[in-house]
Amino acid sequence: MRREALYLKIAKVIEEQIDSETLKLGDKLPSIRSIQKIYNVSINTAKQAFLELESKSLIEARPKSGYFVSKTSRRKFSLPTVGKLKSSQDEKPQGDLISKILNTLEDKDIRQFSIGAPDSSLLPIAKLNKGVINVVRTLPDGGTSYEPVQGSVNLRRGIAKWSLVLEGKLTEDDIVTTSGTMNALYNCLLAVTQRDDTIAVETPVYFGILQMARSMGLNVIEIPNHPITGVDLEALKKVLPKLKACCFISNFSNPLGCLMPDEHKKELVRMLTEHDIPLIEDDLYGNLFFGATRPKPCKAFDEAGIVMWCGSVSKTLAPGYRVGWVAAGKYKDKIIRQKFLQTISTPTLYQEVIADFLEHGRYDHHLRTLRTKLYTNCLQFQRAIEDYFPHNTKISQPQGGFMLWLELDKKIDTAKLYDIAIKQKISFAPGRMFSLHNQYNNCMRLNYGLEWNQKLDFDLKRLGNIVKSAI
Amino acid sequence: MRREALYLKIAKVIEEQIDSETLKLGDKLPSIRSIQKIYNVSINTAKQAFLELESKSLIEARPKSGYFVSKTSRRKFSLPTVGKLKSSQDEKPQGDLISKILNTLEDKDIRQFSIGAPDSSLLPIAKLNKGVINVVRTLPDGGTSYEPVQGSVNLRRGIAKWSLVLEGKLTEDDIVTTSGTMNALYNCLLAVTQRDDTIAVETPVYFGILQMARSMGLNVIEIPNHPITGVDLEALKKVLPKLKACCFISNFSNPLGCLMPDEHKKELVRMLTEHDIPLIEDDLYGNLFFGATRPKPCKAFDEAGIVMWCGSVSKTLAPGYRVGWVAAGKYKDKIIRQKFLQTISTPTLYQEVIADFLEHGRYDHHLRTLRTKLYTNCLQFQRAIEDYFPHNTKISQPQGGFMLWLELDKKIDTAKLYDIAIKQKISFAPGRMFSLHNQYNNCMRLNYGLEWNQKLDFDLKRLGNIVKSAI
């Protein structure tokens, strides 16, 4: 009895520290060994104390990083609202608003909460540069020759080998390299649709997909995205007969960070296979998971070759390299033909650098570090927003990636708020950008893929104050 | 009188050497100083002898390289036939034939007369590699960040400064960088046409343009190309009202190597301006001129912004880098929007390497060497073909670039001949690839952008024998 009481006593002390915010959301807990020393108890007792806190969802273990205050059971702020099923034939993307936001990205004096890539301080730039120098010295003809249209065989082999989550389903021959995921998506849409066709995307969704689809003359149906489980399959079912293709971010959708459960993915692929509707799966955030393992893509459940699995290193390693790929199932040959006609081939150098990075385990190493940082940042951002933003703020609970979605008071128009914030050198992405319809006007997307420090905390406080003053 | 007689005497000796083929087409003549010593005459006399030979079109001066046997006035073989005006709604590119040819490009044991790029032995690979290493060390964030959509400002500035032929008409702001010229052409066509529109191209023409246009659902009218002066403007005039765009290689068309005279270019731009028809000008060979100066592009005569001037370093420096650009006149903003939606941005590294190469005069230096080599090769190829091919062979007279077009006996089908040649490890591009119509079946394109040596001479002899056996 005494031992049991002891671990509960320790757990209670830590719980009080969490409640009083001595230990804040996102803070790292002392190691089990420290607990052992501080309380003069056995390792087992210390471990049991942590298990107790974990069972109450107050703390969370991160592989190889220790325990963190997660407090999911005591979230002060509720989840954002799920959108409604909407289809569009005439509505246009918010081109002007989007251009306005994109045009500030160059300004280094602005706090860039709006950018769609991790901050360069989180990237292994010195190692990548070393990779470039090594590769350029060994590349035949220094990379001046045309590469085979399908792309660097070393990179394709690397991706196939490294995609363990696909359980050996993929070979180098299944993959075509592209100029980033955006280029993969473009080619997938081009391969399976024609002007005036209808496609489905989730909502809210990355504005680039909406702009791309509309520029190709496609009609877009926006399928509600649950903030935790992603695409609403019941809603999708209703519009299925109209569709020529679906384009979903299955893992950590941008901006919600939600994750489709495996059962949903299986059911989605089953439904689409039945109707022979291709699924363009944008899996560019899949490796930035906060859970124990890398979530499977829908591709893992694809037997008929209808899933076009798109990936890249743009969100994890080097946005500017423009290295992406697609495993396009039965549409592969069409993608290769299109690639040839659009650009002949992709440059070899960066593909080889990434292949090298994969081959020597440097990518896995980097991803482990990056995931820990992003998860910690996610918790820090949630804590800061709970501290600094109005109490009726709703906040997403991302399970990976580096995007946070806020739903503010109904009175607030974040497009107008942006003009105020940018004068104070703070940029964010207004919610209206993420739909073709007139919605999400009181929402914003924040990028937490930044180096956490006091200045960042202060900038979130400033943004919170801007929101408060607007009500 | 005695001096005059002397230079004529020297000229006569050399002329006899040329006639007896002691000096062969493409051979370099002794220097003026050597002539001076050999004949014990003054520099002026030696020079006058050369002028005499030049006036008879027997020899030709190459800047900084000396005099060469050109013998254009005594060409044994006549020019290829000019095609007829043909339009197409249903005809398809020779996809299977093209794939067959492209699939052998990887094989290093094959003599690649079919490839559309200069051999890597003609490229300054060591210098380029050095450039890569220098750039990667100085690039902010090692090039991992997204570049502005319009492309590297250093490269755009470099191109604008270096395009002297455009007489300062171009600024960095007019240019958008692309993934090679092919990507520039693709985006230009996408910007100004829609499915079922009609465009004009020259004939014979690079098969990639035909495939691209057909894949976009465009109808193609093939305008006859004169082997010396290029696009037949009278033929073009007849179809002008049908056209949504023209796409021409104004300088050294592929495969004919012909060059539109300035007056034709001016008239072309005038005609198209009058009808507000955009001209997509593919000027990727313009710097590989054999004449005294770099020919002007049509863009130089464009006041209304209808010319979309496309260029790259793919045919001069580094095909695999995929660095190209377009100065798209009034269509610039549309091109930038398309680029964003297709790929966000282009990789910075190679653009900076090229910018650096331009900035320090290394590109000009390389081009001078390359042009001399290509011109010499062109003459050597013509001489070898006159020696080894049947006497009824017709042969183009390129004024730049590195492509030669042969018209063989009417009985010969070069698509069938290809199957015989490839067994003997020789590849060429059968003429049928260069039109949507059933023509050029007895033609072939040869790439002379190769390192000239005895083996190459022997391979041309082998090819000549294959042709002879086929009659």
Side-chain angles (χ1 to χ4, degrees), chain A residues 144 179 186 319-320 322 342-343, chain B residues 144 179 183 186 319-320 322 342-343:
Chain A
T144 58
S179 178
Y186 177 77
R322 311 313 300 126
Q342 282 166 25
T343 178
Chain B
T144 58
S179 178
N183 189 243
Y186 177 77
R322 311 313 300 126
Q342 282 166 26
T343 177

Side-chain angles (χ1 to χ4, degrees), chain A residues 144-145, chain B residues 118-126 128 315-319 366 370:
Chain A
T144 58
S145 304
Chain B
D119 192 69
S120 59
S121 62
L122 305 182
L123 304 176
I125 291 172
L128 287 170
K315 303 303 177 190
T316 53
L317 205 53
H366 162 66
L370 181 61

Side-chain angles (χ1 to χ4, degrees), chain A residues 61-199:
Chain A
R62 302 283 311 145
K64 298 193 184 174
S65 305
Y67 283 84
F68 290 84
V69 180
S70 66
K71 231 176 45 171
T72 43
S73 65
R74 300 193 188 181
R75 282 180 109 238
K76 280 191 199 152
F77 289 5
S78 52
L79 287 169
T81 320
V82 180
K84 291 212 174 63
L85 182 67
K86 281 181 184 164
S87 70
S88 171
Q89 299 232 357
D90 310 311
E91 310 226 21
K92 281 189 184 151
Q94 297 292 299
D96 293 347
L97 182 58
I98 295 167
S99 300
K100 189 161 79 176
I101 313 301
L102 293 179
N103 283 339
T104 66
L105 291 185
E106 296 296 293
D107 191 336
K108 298 284 175 198
D109 293 337
I110 292 175
R111 171 60 76 185
Q112 298 290 3
F113 289 127
S114 56
I115 210 165
D119 192 69
S120 59
S121 62
L122 305 182
L123 303 176
I125 291 172
K127 281 186 191 168
L128 288 169
N129 284 355
K130 217 174 142 187
V132 170
I133 291 168
N134 286 340
V135 166
V136 83
R137 284 180 177 144
T138 55
L139 215 55
D141 300 335
T144 58
S145 304
Y146 288 123
E147 172 181 274
V149 182
Q150 197 169 344
S152 150
V153 70
N154 286 331
L155 177 61
R156 290 187 284 119
R157 194 175 298 146
I159 295 162
K161 273 165 67 179
W162 175 83
S163 299
L164 298 174
V165 73
L166 288 167
E167 294 159 355
K169 272 193 169 179
L170 228 53
T171 73
E172 65 203 55
D173 196 46
D174 297 316
I175 296 165
V176 184
T177 71
T178 61
S179 178
T181 324
M182 193 76 168
N183 189 242
L185 298 181
Y186 177 77
N187 271 296
C188 288
L189 276 179
L190 196 64
V192 299
T193 65
Q194 292 211 325
R195 189 163 279 277
D196 298 325
D197 281 349
T198 299
I199 64 161

Side-chain angles (χ1 to χ4, degrees), chain B residues 7 27 108 137 169 226 303 313 359 392 394 396 402 424 447 457:
Chain B
Y7 85 80
D27 277 356
K108 299 282 176 201
R137 284 180 177 143
K169 271 192 169 180
H226 185 277
E303 300 294 334
V313 296
E359 177 73 23
N392 61 347
K394 295 177 179 175
S396 63
F402 46 86
Q424 297 186 37
N447 170 10
D457 186 77

Side-chain angles (χ1 to χ4, degrees), chain B residues 305-322:
Chain B
I306 61 150
V307 179
M308 309 168 89
W309 180 63
C310 305
S312 77
V313 296
S314 305
K315 303 303 177 190
T316 53
L317 205 53
Y321 277 21
R322 311 313 300 126

